[in-house]
Amino acid sequence: VLGLSIEPDMFEILQDNTIRLTKAQTIINGVYTIPPFVSAVASECFVGYRGDILKVINVQNNIKVMRGMFMSCYLSVLDLTQFSTQGVTDMTYMFGLSEIAEIRGIAHFDTSAVTSMSHLFNNARVAKPLNLVSWNTDNVRDLSYAFQYMRAPVIDISTWTTKNLQECRGMFNGCDASTILCGSMNMTEVISLCEMFSHSDVTELDLSSWKPIHCVNFGNMFYYCTKLKTLRLFCADLSDTTINTANGI
């Protein structure tokens, strides 16, 4: 059954006179178009939505915050093929706690302005592999818990450069993907790798190109990775660095 809602949408006027979409409810036959007057913020507006198909159309480029936008959604298909993310800076918890069999159009997201992807797919379940290799992550500073406890067959971010990344603790903590491709990430400015892969089901990791020369916390980075068989690590001079490994690596 296609999702159907005829309740009026809910909006909030913020202090800077921008309009936030707080709850999208005029969803007809599973299709919703973000109104053109929504400016800057469209966060948590589809929280808890359930249905077979949800298609969200966004043709404007002035929305900056999509925090928690599809959090806790339960869908067979989320169609984002006509969904602009140009100019978005905050994708925190955007798909967190959701269960979505297929997300269409995500490969074409413009993420060049995004600074936070913290908890992006935290506790999400996705049946089909996500194509994220074309994402531009040059301005992302926070990837903490981005894929924590995620249920997905493969996580391929092998092209992410992350040259401004500072925080990625718990990024893959508890993730059940057996294949995680993340070797291209620039870790030079990262300060914490704490619990990054702990309790994950990954079987092989090639981190040989990583140079986390400013990292001060490696605690539990690979803790309880019981399925990890092959690990290729970076080689760096950390002799002048104070490193917290109180709970082991």
Side-chain angles (χ1 to χ4, degrees):
V1 178
L2 292 175
L4 176 62
S5 176
I6 56 174
E7 296 295 322
D9 293 336
M10 298 176 66
F11 304 94
E12 177 185 4
I13 299 177
L14 304 179
Q15 289 183 346
D16 59 359
N17 290 323
T18 57
I19 298 176
R20 173 193 173 196
L21 173 62
T22 59
K23 192 169 183 61
Q25 297 189 119
T26 55
I27 302 169
I28 308 299
N29 292 328
V31 179
Y32 181 85
T33 301
I34 295 180
F37 56 80
V38 173
S39 51
V41 182
S43 59
E44 302 178 3
C45 48
F46 296 98
V47 169
Y49 182 81
R50 294 170 179 259
D52 287 343
I53 300 174
L54 173 62
K55 180 173 183 175
V56 181
I57 300 171
N58 178 42
V59 297
Q60 55 198 330
N61 301 321
N62 59 344
I63 296 176
K64 307 298 182 186
V65 179
M66 293 185 173
R67 177 186 293 261
M69 194 172 195
F70 301 104
M71 192 165 62
S72 300
C73 283
Y74 290 82
L75 298 161
S76 298
V77 176
L78 176 58
D79 187 343
L80 302 176
T81 54
Q82 294 177 263
F83 185 82
S84 174
T85 56
Q86 184 177 343
V88 174
T89 60
D90 189 349
M91 288 185 171
T92 303
Y93 263 120
M94 188 171 181
F95 301 97
L97 302 167
S98 62
E99 188 168 334
I100 305 171
E102 181 182 3
I103 303 177
R104 298 174 183 169
I106 198 169
H108 305 295
F109 272 20
D110 182 344
T111 55
S112 57
V114 177
T115 58
S116 177
M117 291 184 180
S118 174
H119 298 82
L120 178 64
F121 292 102
N122 185 291
N123 252 305
R125 294 175 179 266
V126 180
K128 291 191 176 183
L130 297 172
N131 184 355
L132 308 177
V133 294
S134 63
W135 283 20
N136 181 336
T137 56
D138 283 353
N139 287 310
V140 175
R141 295 195 295 268
D142 190 355
L143 279 168
S144 57
Y145 310 105
F147 301 96
Q148 184 185 39
Y149 302 128
M150 186 182 183
R151 301 293 176 259
V154 176
I155 297 177
D156 184 356
I157 54 173
S158 57
T159 57
W160 287 18
T161 52
T162 61
K163 63 183 181 182
N164 287 298
L165 184 63
Q166 298 176 356
E167 180 62 73
C168 56
R169 68 173 62 212
M171 185 173 176
F172 301 102
N173 178 33
C175 176
D176 80 344
S178 59
T179 301
I180 299 175
L181 304 174
C182 58
S184 66
M185 293 173 66
N186 186 331
M187 312 300 281
T188 305
E189 300 301 322
V190 169
I191 58 175
S192 177
L193 292 169
C194 176
E195 299 181 343
M196 188 169 185
F197 299 98
S198 65
H199 295 89
S200 68
D201 288 345
V202 64
T203 58
E204 180 177 353
L205 284 171
D206 184 356
L207 312 179
S208 57
S209 66
W210 285 15
K211 295 178 175 61
I213 57 177
H214 293 115
C215 184
V216 296
N217 191 351
F218 291 86
N220 291 334
M221 184 175 176
F222 302 104
Y223 180 72
Y224 215 75
C225 288
T226 58
K227 298 182 181 180
L228 184 59
K229 297 179 180 179
T230 304
L231 176 62
R232 297 178 180 88
L233 284 176
F234 45 84
C235 181
D237 181 4
L238 302 174
S239 57
D240 295 327
T241 304
T242 301
I243 300 173
N244 174 18
T245 57
N247 297 313
I249 293 181

